[in-house]
Amino acid sequence: MQIKKSSKMNNVRYDIRGPVAALATEMEKQGTKVIRLNTGNPAAFGFRPPNITDILESRLQLTAAYSDSKGLIETREAIAVYERSKDIPNIHTDNVYTGNGVSELIIMSMQALLNNDDEVLIPSPDYPLWTAAVRLAGGKAVHYLCDESSSWYLDIEDIRRKITPRTKAIVVINPNNPTGAVYPKEILESICNLARQHKLLIFSDEIYDRLLMDNAKHIAIASLAPDLPVITMNGLSKSHQLCGFRAGWMVISGDLSGTEDYLDALTVLASMRLCANVNAQAVIPAALQNPYFAKDELLPSGRIYDQREQAYEGLKSIPGISVVKSQAGLYMFPKMDVMMLGIEDDEQMVLDFLREKHVLLTHGGSYNWNMPDHFRVVYLPEKEVLVDVIERLRDFLGGYVQVKKGG
Ligand code: PLP
């Protein structure tokens, strides 16, 4: 019997857990020890989440039941308080939705919004779930440039050129994955102006907003646009190192006149999945009493800060590699001098590196970057592991001769 995938899945990819990661799993099954640097999963690297056992024990009766589809009311209130603390205007708890991670909410928000061939502006490089969710919903992901030569900031002129009558929304990932950029106010204001002019819905993925370094300041774009509807996404995966809980939320703020139809559709989708994991919802209010849970790790001599320094210094010391230092989050997106290194295919490069040196990286193409000249590094492992990884990479690239697939 042949069972074919639906045509809806054409071009839907999530390569962070794609074919290269599948090879790593295969190698592990054969007994090879692989250093996995493909996901931003702090607890897998020994980072300790807050102690939530007491909360879960005391709320067992509550968390064993389904909740309201949007979420527990005390949870949505706590989320509203946190997002208001970021100067986001006009937040009503009715417009706060909890999700099984931000991931589920990204998919729901695109399903509810897009007709076939509607366009959504998405950064390149992006966090690829956004592109995948747009395509799954029948839409067209139109990628705008983040400019490496300008600290990876958004290229506003490129965005402007790519707006068409079919453009419905713009996605901003701030702080950014995979580049670690944090956007200044002027850039966010320019996005708001484009959204005003062209009636675009703004989606802002702010899941790294509490993982800032070097005194970087995060500005919620919704705080600059009280006259526009803005959807802000966030959660506990990174800030509280609770990826496995799947505790995410989205908040629709600003001027909501005219959005009723869309909000109704979101509510139907939220109801169809009954509710988000209630254990995860139940820990959100306590977690948000200390929103900056990881702050010491982000200061000089804190673990994340030091590992970022180690990764940055090590990467830029490798001949043929340059890198913009990240200001937030868990990643950097180094550039390879592909002429010098003789690289034509970035996926082939990370596959060969995995086979030869047993380290799993992700290639730039996974992030909808259309040149074969980048890869992403996760700086969650301890410094000694990072030193080892950098040396393996230096050694590998020093002797690498790329043999093309099938060649
Ligand atoms: N958004 C960005 C930018 C991410 O990097 C990630 C995970 O890495 C997510 C969303 C997904 O987060 P969650 O664990 O809440 O689904």
Side-chain angles (χ1 to χ4, degrees):
M1 182 169 62
Q2 276 220 343
I3 302 178
K4 295 274 194 188
K5 73 179 178 197
S6 127
S7 60
K8 293 200 281 299
M9 287 299 292
N10 290 344
N11 300 319
V12 174
R13 296 179 70 101
Y14 188 76
D15 279 354
I16 297 175
R17 292 170 180 257
V20 187
L23 173 64
T25 307
E26 216 31 63
M27 288 168 62
E28 284 167 341
K29 277 192 206 149
Q30 309 296 324
T32 306
K33 189 172 174 320
V34 174
I35 303 178
R36 286 183 167 262
L37 296 188
N38 63 326
T39 59
N41 193 4
F45 294 88
F47 285 87
R48 296 184 69 97
N51 187 348
I52 43 185
T53 326
D54 291 352
I55 302 171
L56 293 181
E57 266 175 18
S58 67
R59 317 280 332 252
L60 197 56
Q61 198 59 35
L62 176 89
T63 59
Y66 292 129
S67 71
D68 178 277
S69 297
K70 290 181 189 173
L72 299 167
I73 188 64
E74 62 269 31
T75 296
R76 285 185 284 143
E77 275 163 4
I79 293 166
V81 168
Y82 172 67
E83 296 294 355
R84 281 186 203 120
S85 79
K86 302 206 65 187
D87 297 328
I88 297 186
N90 191 26
I91 301 179
H92 191 283
T93 47
D94 277 351
N95 299 323
V96 176
Y97 294 70
T98 56
N100 294 302
V102 166
S103 307
E104 183 185 47
L105 297 167
I106 292 175
I107 295 169
M108 276 166 51
S109 63
M110 292 300 138
Q111 292 290 342
L113 183 69
L114 299 177
N115 289 316
N116 286 347
D117 302 324
D118 281 346
E119 294 174 9
V120 180
L121 289 157
I122 297 187
S124 168
D126 70 346
Y127 173 61
L129 187 61
W130 283 100
T131 296
V134 167
R135 291 179 180 160
L136 182 63
K140 186 171 164 205
V142 177
H143 292 107
Y144 65 79
L145 182 69
C146 297
D147 183 359
E148 188 166 20
S149 64
S150 302
S151 315
W152 282 118
Y153 291 163
L154 317 184
D155 182 334
I156 297 292
E157 284 318 308
D158 190 54
I159 298 176
R160 195 191 307 279
R161 276 194 296 275
K162 288 177 174 163
I163 296 173
T164 76
R166 296 226 66 147
T167 312
K168 280 203 139 170
I170 178 160
V171 174
V172 177
I173 304 174
N174 179 34
N176 188 272
N177 174 7
T179 67
V182 183
Y183 301 130
K185 188 170 178 199
E186 307 75 64
I187 291 203
L188 298 173
E189 276 170 343
S190 304
I191 300 280
C192 294
N193 287 339
L194 286 179
R196 269 182 204 108
Q197 245 176 316
H198 298 278
K199 303 203 178 336
L200 307 181
L201 181 54
I202 298 174
F203 288 90
S204 189
D205 180 340
E206 303 188 352
I207 195 152
Y208 298 100
D209 72 335
R210 284 149 287 158
L211 295 187
L212 304 171
M213 286 171 277
D214 310 331
N215 296 318
K217 187 170 156 28
H218 177 259
I219 300 170
I221 192 169
S223 70
L224 306 174
D227 57 324
L228 297 173
V230 179
I231 303 194
T232 304
M233 309 254 182
N234 213 324
L236 298 185
S237 287
K238 316 294 173 172
S239 64
H240 290 71
Q241 306 168 341
L242 281 168
C243 293
F245 264 61
R246 318 306 299 122
W249 61 82
M250 74 181 169
V251 170
I252 303 117
S253 64
D255 181 357
L256 302 187
S257 48
T259 63
E260 298 79 5
D261 201 44
Y262 179 53
L263 296 184
D264 284 350
L266 283 176
T267 304
V268 172
L269 288 179
S271 307
M272 283 165 58
R273 52 93 220 230
L274 311 196
C275 64
N277 179 339
V278 187
N279 276 316
Q281 291 184 48
V283 301
I284 290 174
L288 286 181
Q289 279 175 16
N290 181 15
Y292 294 88
F293 169 73
K295 67 176 182 312
D296 292 344
E297 287 161 1
L298 298 150
L299 294 170
S301 67
R303 189 173 156 193
I304 298 178
Y305 180 97
D306 280 0
Q307 290 169 189
R308 186 226 21 196
E309 295 294 301
Q310 189 73 50
Y312 174 69
E313 294 301 329
L315 284 165
K316 75 180 176 129
S317 74
I318 299 177
I321 299 284
S322 58
V323 59
V324 177
K325 200 186 223 186
S326 64
Q327 283 199 292
L330 308 173
Y331 323 97
M332 273 183 284
F333 200 54
K335 180 173 185 174
M336 299 180 281
D337 181 336
V338 287
M339 295 294 282
M340 177 184 151
L341 297 169
I343 291 172
E344 289 182 23
D345 182 330
D346 52 344
E347 183 170 19
Q348 188 62 42
M349 188 289 270
V350 295
L351 276 167
D352 291 339
F353 183 51
L354 171 62
R355 280 197 196 98
E356 201 177 305
K357 298 287 184 187
H358 307 167
V359 179
L360 174 59
L361 297 175
T362 39
H363 61 293
S366 316
Y367 305 93
N368 294 296
W369 182 253
N370 68 6
M371 304 276 286
D373 59 356
H374 282 75
F375 58 93
R376 187 183 79 166
V377 168
V378 176
Y379 44 80
L380 280 168
E382 301 272 11
K383 280 206 280 191
E384 310 78 74
V385 181
L386 286 170
V387 169
D388 180 19
V389 166
I390 300 288
E391 287 321 308
R392 292 190 204 195
L393 188 59
R394 188 194 311 282
D395 196 46
F396 169 79
L397 288 175
Y400 187 46
V401 180
Q402 185 163 81
V403 181
K404 294 205 50 175
K405 279 177 207 152

